[in-house]
Amino acid sequence: MTDMANGNFGQAHAVAQSDPQPVNGQARDGDLDTTDNSSRPIGVVLEIAGSGSQIALDLERLSECMADSDPSIGLAGQVGSQIKIRVGNSWLLASVRNQRQDRRANGGIIANIDFLGEGQEEKLTGRIHGFRRGVTRYPIPGALIYPATTEDLRQIYASDGRANVQIGTVYPTKDIRAGLYIDAMLGKHFALLGSTGTGKSTSAALILHRICEAAPAGHIVMIDPHGEYSAAFKQTGMIFDVSNLQMPYWLMNFEEHCEVLLSSTGNERQIDADILARCLLHARCKNRLAATMGKITVDSPVPYLLSDLSNEIKTQMGKLDKATSSAPFMRISNKLDEIKSDPRYQFMFSGMLVGDTMADFISKVFRMPSSGKPISIIDVSGVPSDITSTVVAVLSRLVFDFAIWGRDEKTSPILLVCEEAHRYVPNERNADGSSVGRILSRIAKEGRKYGISLGLITQRPSDLAEGVLSQCGTIISMRLNNDRDQAFVKSAMPEGARGFLDSIPALRNRECIICGEGVAIPIRVAFDNLEEVKRPASEDPSFVELWRQTGGEEEIVHRTVQRWRSQGT
């Protein structure tokens, strides 16, 4: 069959038709069942390289396989399908990356493949067992190629005993379950990517529901910028929004205070920051807690009164000589008064939040104890847009700082999931220098040392900060319509998975490619259907149906305007 390498497909096909040696090594001279496509070769290896190789495929054999009742054999040789190559007494599994016509041969196809792993051969059946990722022995040019069967794939995708959650079925089969290894996926972060309308939110809810079911005493914090996930987790999680979050303002560090209270730029901003640092430290030192702690800094999470900060600003302004401008003090004081009087900021800057509630707040938001509801949904859709990123920064930093200062306690790991991640960890082109980008980038790089897992969900991966996506050990990619996004994801993938990612533009809704630590080998998965009560409120509205409904429009407008005017009260 090595003549295939020289374009002689006729002889190769003759070998495929008459070879009396079935795949399982049990010779049945003159008795081969020619309908058994799994035991007859479909091609030959032409060229070997480290991560992938080139093969030649027999078009007539591929046509025969298409009619096979086994869907895995039916796709044999097609882009994204799996094929197997015998190497000694073991099988080497590979994925077909691309195809092109061999102009030197009539009816020949040349394809590139990516090696996925290897397994032993069951002598009785010829199937793969004991599959493991990576390659120890490579085939030689001329080695025969066979289609991988559904039973082969069942062995390959079978759990190796590690804790896992099942999220769907492996394409193209109908019954092989696709699992994610929880420890491997969360231990090295994960990213869920997909264009709008591909079922990304529902798939994220499905994965989180499965994790919650597997670990009802877990600790998951999800940042929800659009209020989609409240409906999905109202039974299994705690929902926090501006009405009940009650996040104390004094938890902010100095950098976050500057983002909220300083409106100046350039040299003026540095002058304002110096004034704010002095006044903020003085206000923190007035708390009785500060006296028991000894030395505190401007970043210490010690409660202080907003009135103390305001009074200190005015006191220092009163000490100025006539030559010094009072403008910086006035800017800070006016901004502080504006925030205190704005009802939209009451969830954070209320006078009721001055007590030392730090431990209670962390217990509540981090679900410690979880009481059977291991996930917190932080709905920031009602937070004023100018401080949304600061609120996310405070929550993210609390996760990180809690993990660092809790190392001696052997605290439970925390999963931080960030929807619309490109808004908070933007690339250099879109960066605004906000603290949230810095803390999430730091969690991506250092979090796993301290037991923090980061889950990033985004529809625009190319807008993410450079390096953040590459820190994610598991990437779950749904359909991406933008060429730049597709190229960005491929560049973050391990070499052996890139052929798989060529099929990203062709994925159906609620299908994905999963690569990395969370799976044994890259797989294409059709997600399970999620019960209606567990789905996020992200369904697209039906324009036709809604536009057919009439009546009550004036009352709807009136009620909407009332809510609009009374926001935050």
Side-chain angles (χ1 to χ4, degrees):
M1 192 158 181
T2 54
D3 288 342
M4 203 180 281
N6 301 317
N8 189 349
F9 278 81
Q11 183 180 346
H13 181 64
V15 172
Q17 294 292 340
S18 62
D19 183 3
Q21 190 79 10
V23 169
N24 60 17
Q26 310 245 331
R28 298 180 298 172
D29 294 335
D31 188 36
L32 179 67
D33 180 2
T34 56
T35 63
D36 185 5
N37 286 309
S38 66
S39 64
R40 292 157 50 213
I42 59 172
V44 66
V45 173
L46 295 183
E47 180 184 312
I48 295 294
S51 59
S53 301
Q54 194 175 77
I55 62 173
L57 297 169
D58 184 337
L59 186 57
E60 189 173 337
R61 281 290 296 122
L62 296 189
S63 299
E64 292 171 2
C65 288
M66 284 182 190
D68 200 285
S69 59
D70 184 330
S72 300
I73 296 176
L75 286 174
Q78 296 185 27
V79 173
S81 68
Q82 283 79 49
I83 51 99
K84 59 184 184 181
I85 308 165
R86 186 196 295 282
V87 182
N89 292 324
S90 61
W91 285 115
L92 194 59
L93 193 79
S95 173
V96 178
R97 186 195 306 173
N98 52 38
Q99 291 181 345
R100 70 177 186 277
Q101 186 177 9
D102 186 359
R103 300 185 183 280
R104 300 168 302 169
N106 184 24
I109 295 174
I110 299 294
N112 291 99
I113 58 173
D114 295 309
F115 293 127
L116 299 174
E118 59 191 5
Q120 298 302 309
E121 177 187 7
E122 285 184 355
K123 289 301 179 186
L124 292 176
T125 64
R127 295 175 192 154
I128 297 173
H129 75 96
F131 180 83
R132 61 190 180 278
R133 190 188 291 186
V135 179
T136 53
R137 287 181 61 191
Y138 287 94
I140 59 173
L144 301 182
I145 292 164
Y146 298 87
T149 67
T150 294
E151 288 305 316
D152 288 330
L153 298 184
R154 198 182 305 281
Q155 292 290 322
I156 291 162
Y157 296 123
S159 170
D160 60 9
R162 289 182 287 168
N164 67 90
V165 292
Q166 296 188 350
I167 57 168
T169 53
V170 177
Y171 178 88
T173 70
K174 299 287 188 239
D175 59 347
I176 296 181
R177 300 294 290 156
L180 287 170
Y181 295 117
I182 303 176
D183 289 342
M185 182 178 83
L186 301 186
K188 294 187 177 176
H189 310 317
F190 71 93
L192 174 59
L193 319 169
S195 296
T196 301
T198 56
K200 187 171 76 279
S201 298
T202 306
S203 303
L206 170 68
I207 293 169
L208 292 174
H209 273 300
R210 294 285 193 267
I211 292 174
C212 289
E213 289 163 10
H219 313 291
I220 305 171
V221 179
M222 180 173 203
I223 309 296
D224 177 12
H226 302 305
E228 294 178 335
Y229 293 89
S230 300
F233 291 94
K234 57 179 178 286
Q235 294 181 347
T236 55
M238 291 295 292
I239 316 301
F240 298 101
D241 56 22
V242 292
S243 68
N244 66 344
L245 182 59
Q246 295 181 314
M247 186 172 81
Y249 56 87
W250 47 263
L251 284 177
M252 293 189 295
N253 64 15
F254 177 62
E255 182 183 15
E256 292 149 2
H257 271 88
C258 288
E259 287 182 358
V260 174
L261 295 175
L262 302 188
S263 54
S264 52
T265 56
N267 292 334
E268 286 185 346
R269 188 173 183 85
Q270 187 56 53
I271 295 169
D272 292 5
D274 291 342
I275 293 168
L276 179 60
R278 292 198 306 271
C279 297
L280 179 58
L281 181 59
H282 188 276
R284 288 198 195 275
C285 287
K286 283 198 166 186
N287 190 287
R288 287 175 298 178
L289 191 61
T292 64
M293 293 173 59
K295 189 172 180 61
I296 68 167
T297 71
V298 73
D299 286 329
S300 299
V302 174
Y304 71 89
L305 293 173
L306 288 172
S307 57
D308 283 344
L309 176 61
S310 181
N311 291 338
E312 182 61 24
I313 292 170
K314 290 170 182 171
T315 299
Q316 294 212 13
M317 185 168 60
K319 293 178 180 177
L320 297 176
D321 55 39
K322 292 181 181 179
T324 308
S325 172
S326 63
F329 295 89
M330 292 301 297
R331 282 195 295 266
I332 302 172
S333 183
N334 290 341
K335 183 66 176 178
L336 189 58
D337 290 341
E338 177 188 320
I339 286 174
K340 284 163 62 178
S341 61
D342 191 332
R344 296 176 304 155
Y345 293 83
Q346 288 301 295
F347 75 96
M348 189 173 179
F349 289 92
S350 166
M352 304 294 290
L353 298 175
V354 72
D356 183 12
T357 56
M358 186 172 179
D360 292 338
F361 180 77
I362 286 175
S363 297
K364 177 179 72 172
V365 173
F366 295 177
R367 310 307 305 134
M368 294 182 176
S370 64
S371 304
K373 294 188 173 184
I375 185 168
S376 288
I377 304 296
I378 313 294
D379 176 2
V380 295
S381 60
V383 173
S385 57
D386 56 333
I387 66 163
T388 301
S389 63
T390 306
V391 170
V392 177
V394 173
L395 292 166
S396 304
R397 184 179 51 77
L398 285 176
V399 171
F400 189 71
D401 287 350
F402 180 78
I404 289 177
W405 294 105
R407 278 176 297 176
D408 294 342
E409 303 289 339
K410 293 185 171 56
T411 52
S412 295
I414 298 173
L415 168 59
L416 176 64
V417 183
C418 195
E419 173 70 275
E420 296 280 345
H422 60 274
R423 286 173 47 174
Y424 305 120
V425 209
N427 55 26
E428 289 183 7
R429 187 175 62 256
N430 302 320
D432 56 2
S434 63
S435 56
V436 66
R438 282 188 287 276
I439 186 60
L440 287 176
S441 294
R442 190 176 178 195
I443 289 174
K445 293 169 187 169
E446 305 173 31
R448 55 179 169 264
K449 301 176 189 173
Y450 305 109
I452 306 172
S453 178
L454 185 63
L456 301 176
I457 305 172
T458 179
Q459 57 191 322
R460 294 303 305 270
S462 60
D463 286 344
L464 277 174
E466 293 289 337
V468 170
L469 190 61
S470 60
Q471 296 289 336
C472 295
T474 304
I475 293 186
I476 305 165
S477 181
M478 307 183 77
R479 189 174 68 250
L480 290 166
N481 300 326
N482 184 285
D483 291 341
R484 199 156 54 92
D485 290 331
Q486 294 167 20
F488 191 78
V489 173
K490 287 179 189 177
S491 68
M493 282 285 90
E495 188 70 35
R498 295 197 183 170
F500 249 84
L501 296 171
D502 287 336
S503 59
I504 283 178
L507 292 172
R508 301 185 184 98
N509 284 357
R510 309 207 61 247
E511 278 191 351
C512 70
I513 301 289
I514 307 178
C515 308
E517 302 292 333
V519 287
I521 58 171
I523 54 174
R524 179 172 171 178
V525 174
F527 280 112
D528 289 338
N529 283 322
L530 197 56
E531 302 96 306
E532 190 75 37
V533 71
K534 293 183 176 180
R535 291 181 194 166
S538 57
E539 295 290 322
D540 293 332
S542 170
F543 286 80
V544 174
E545 285 184 19
L546 292 173
W547 282 350
R548 281 177 181 156
Q549 300 171 10
T550 59
E553 285 94 339
E554 291 180 356
E555 290 81 1
I556 290 173
V557 171
H558 183 69
R559 289 195 298 270
T560 302
V561 169
Q562 274 191 320
R563 284 195 298 272
W564 194 344
R565 283 177 171 157
S566 62
Q567 57 185 303
T569 58

